[in-house]
Amino acid sequence: IGIPWLVAATVRSISHVRALSVFNKAGETVGTVEQRVTGFSIHSLIGMCIFFDKPRSLLTQVPLPVLMGLFMYLGTSALPGNEMFERIKEIFQDNSARVGTKWEKIPRNVTNMFTIIQCACLGAMVWVKGSPIGVLFPVVIAALAPLRFALEKTGIVKKEYMDILDHEE
């Protein structure tokens, strides 16, 4: 069954998998150490906080700024290595920063345009989520795939460039 599972969308799961990674001398990932103790422990603690009053009352003693600081740290520590974040930084850098990136062979204006479109989509998602029409958030998510294929089909971004910019690892 594989329970408890770790959801790759959460910062704690990404950080957990990264912490269990095994690296070679060049710094490349060669594998991960699998264990289920952490996942079981995390989900047991979450369950205790939901079903029992004592753990929940202990959590109320933690100041909100401490929690926000923890989440901010976890979020910012996950940014390096994120391709979109790296391309956003690259917009403000010299061409020499492109050397060694997966997208170095793509013209810079195409990379910048694709990154700006991604930022606009992210901004639209954040705006819709926080607006009175927040229930339409899934519609914005669903519109991302047709937008990607429209960029490719209209020739705004060539297929070979899109395959490099928008790939799954």
Side-chain angles (χ1 to χ4, degrees), residues 139-156:
V139 175
V140 178
I141 296 289
L144 294 177
L147 174 64
R148 181 221 189 269
F149 292 114
L151 288 172
E152 190 177 301
K153 191 170 186 173
T154 58
I156 294 172

Side-chain angles (χ1 to χ4, degrees), residues 93-124:
Q93 295 174 342
D94 190 48
N95 278 339
S96 61
R98 293 174 59 95
V99 177
T101 62
K102 295 175 185 174
W103 53 88
E104 70 179 315
K105 297 196 180 352
I106 300 173
R108 186 176 179 128
N109 63 336
V110 174
T111 306
N112 290 348
M113 180 187 57
F114 182 76
T115 304
I116 290 168
I117 290 170
Q118 278 188 313
C119 289
C121 291
L122 179 62

Side-chain angles (χ1 to χ4, degrees), residues 21-83:
S21 296
V22 178
F23 299 96
N24 62 15
K25 294 197 187 259
E28 299 167 341
T29 307
V30 293
T32 36
V33 178
E34 183 178 348
Q35 52 94 3
R36 306 223 179 237
V37 175
T38 307
F40 184 78
S41 301
I42 289 170
H43 288 85
S44 297
L45 290 170
I46 291 171
M48 286 178 15
C49 290
I50 291 171
F51 295 116
F52 302 113
D53 288 333
K54 188 71 171 168
R56 199 172 28 234
S57 66
L58 286 173
L59 283 179
T60 60
Q61 301 301 313
V62 179
L64 193 57
V66 171
L67 287 176
M68 292 301 118
L70 174 66
F71 291 134
M72 187 173 79
Y73 168 75
L74 289 173
T76 55
S77 67
L79 283 177
N82 179 297
E83 287 186 12

Side-chain angles (χ1 to χ4, degrees), residues 10-32:
T10 61
V11 174
R12 64 182 164 87
S13 295
I14 294 169
S15 298
H16 176 65
V17 170
R18 203 173 276 163
L20 292 175
S21 296
V22 178
F23 299 96
N24 62 15
K25 294 197 187 259
E28 299 167 341
T29 307
V30 293
T32 36

